Amino acid sequence: MARSLERSVKFVRPGRYIMNMLLFLLVVGAIVYYLSPWSPQPSPLLLDAFEANPALNGLILGVLAIGIIYNLRQAGVIDPAVRWVEAFRESVDPARSRLPRAPNLIGAMSRLLLDADTRAGKLSPESTRAILDSIGTRMDEGREMGRYLMNLLVFLGLLGTFWGLLETVNAVADTINGLANTGGAAEDAVSQLIANLREPLSGMGTAFSSSLFGLGGSLIVGFLDLQAGQSQNRFYTDLEDWLAGMTETVRAAGKGGATYSGDIADGDLVGAIQALEAALAANTETQIKAAAGQTAELKDEIRALNRTLIRVGRGE
């Protein structure tokens, strides 16, 4: 049964997850193009939002580009690992001399599998658990960077928001102070108020534009991180199923201290449980009978002691 499980496991390559990521990026690119001045219906929305604060918005777009490349790479590292596992399964060379170099993700697993060839290709349960823990830890470490980039985009968006609001508050305060210290006709005051409101409005542009780019970039990186995580989880599941067919079963003691190993059928398992229950019942019955005999002997000794005390009290 273990060998059939090993042969039936089919590893899924990350190609479809990478395709989902590329299609999503294509949709995002189409939306950006539609909102740009170069679309069939030109719109200055994104360009004006970017020019509200080119430095901060450029930093956000740079972090977004890093997040896109990193998540594509995280999904892509699964493919070399799948190719190595398939080459290992198809290899007929006992020395495994023609195997390609194992990627870092499954470096520990490759060494343990090569060492297992000396034991008829079987892994111990401890080795299997160590392999899965090692690969799971490396996957989690790789995804931590993707989550950090996603949170960084949100932080930069909020930073720009508070930065813009601070500029707005200061500019409004300066405008009010300027009107209070300025005399003259009412028309001049209104003209000066309109001119002075340009700076507060530019601060609001910084706040909303950074939020737009930051939250939008976080949405993009979050979806890519989801797809990369799904590709890694699928590889981990396939690998767990495959290693289950290569792991030697637990050895159980038989009569006379002998041991046996192999796949345990359901009937054998039920028979073993029934035999264990019968042994426990027999052992319990023996202990009950022994306790009853000891109790009877103790009662006889107590009666003899009472008779002795009565005689002594009478002076016999």
Side-chain angles (χ1 to χ4, degrees), residues 48-49 51-53 56-57 157-172 175 195-212:
D48 292 342
E51 291 179 349
N53 193 334
L56 181 59
N57 293 332
L158 294 176
L159 177 63
T161 299
F162 290 115
W163 183 0
L165 291 176
L166 181 61
E167 289 182 352
T168 301
V169 170
N170 293 332
V172 169
T175 301
N196 292 337
L197 284 177
R198 294 177 180 174
E199 187 172 355
L201 292 177
S202 65
M204 294 299 295
T206 299
F208 290 116
S209 65
S210 61
S211 297
L212 173 66

Side-chain angles (χ1 to χ4, degrees), residues 209-291:
S209 65
S210 61
S211 297
L212 173 66
F213 288 110
L215 296 179
S218 175
L219 174 65
I220 296 172
V221 173
F223 180 81
L224 299 182
D225 180 74
L226 175 64
Q227 293 297 313
Q230 288 180 350
S231 66
Q232 292 181 354
N233 292 337
R234 182 56 186 268
F235 172 72
Y236 185 89
T237 303
D238 294 340
L239 187 64
E240 186 176 17
D241 294 338
W242 178 59
L243 291 177
M246 299 185 61
T247 304
E248 58 184 0
T249 55
V250 180
R251 295 183 178 273
K255 295 182 178 180
T259 61
Y260 63 93
S261 63
D263 297 328
I264 301 177
D266 293 339
D268 295 339
L269 182 60
V270 173
I273 294 176
Q274 292 177 349
L276 180 61
E277 291 178 350
L280 291 175
N283 188 26
T284 302
E285 185 179 358
T286 302
Q287 291 180 354
I288 292 174
K289 291 181 179 179

Side-chain angles (χ1 to χ4, degrees), residues 7-216:
R7 298 189 190 99
S8 63
V9 174
K10 180 177 177 58
F11 284 84
V12 177
R13 292 181 178 271
R16 69 175 184 178
Y17 299 100
I18 296 177
M19 183 61 65
N20 293 338
M21 299 165 75
L22 294 178
L23 290 176
F24 179 78
L25 293 176
L26 183 61
V27 172
V28 172
I31 296 174
V32 172
Y33 175 74
Y34 180 77
L35 297 176
S36 69
W38 302 279
S39 66
Q41 297 179 352
S43 173
L45 177 62
L46 291 181
L47 186 59
D48 292 342
F50 178 80
E51 291 179 349
N53 193 334
L56 181 59
N57 293 332
L59 177 61
I60 293 175
L61 293 180
V63 174
L64 174 60
I66 294 174
I68 292 173
I69 296 173
Y70 184 82
N71 282 288
L72 287 172
R73 178 183 174 275
Q74 284 298 106
V77 296
I78 301 299
D79 192 64
V82 173
R83 288 202 306 267
W84 190 93
V85 173
E86 291 178 347
F88 181 86
R89 295 171 67 179
E90 296 173 359
S91 176
V92 295
D93 182 13
R96 311 285 185 180
S97 59
R98 296 183 179 180
L99 284 178
R101 182 179 179 182
N104 294 331
L105 180 63
I106 57 172
M109 183 187 76
S110 64
R111 290 189 290 271
L112 290 174
L113 288 177
L114 294 176
D115 291 341
D117 283 345
T118 59
R119 299 188 299 274
K122 281 291 188 179
L123 290 171
S124 64
E126 293 79 10
S127 299
T128 302
R129 189 71 262 166
I131 289 173
L132 295 175
D133 290 343
S134 173
I135 294 177
T137 301
R138 295 185 184 188
M139 287 181 177
D140 291 338
E141 290 176 352
R143 296 185 62 185
E144 286 178 359
M145 184 62 180
R147 298 189 185 100
Y148 173 77
L149 292 174
M150 183 171 57
N151 295 330
L152 180 60
L153 288 171
V154 176
F155 167 76
L156 292 176
L158 294 176
L159 177 63
T161 299
F162 290 115
W163 183 0
L165 291 176
L166 181 61
E167 289 182 352
T168 301
V169 170
N170 293 332
V172 169
D174 293 340
T175 301
I176 295 174
N177 292 332
L179 290 176
N181 297 329
T182 301
E187 295 180 356
D188 296 337
V190 172
S191 300
Q192 185 178 0
L193 175 62
I194 294 174
N196 292 337
L197 284 177
R198 294 177 180 174
E199 187 172 355
L201 292 177
S202 65
M204 294 299 295
T206 299
F208 290 116
S209 65
S210 61
S211 297
L212 173 66
F213 288 110
L215 296 179

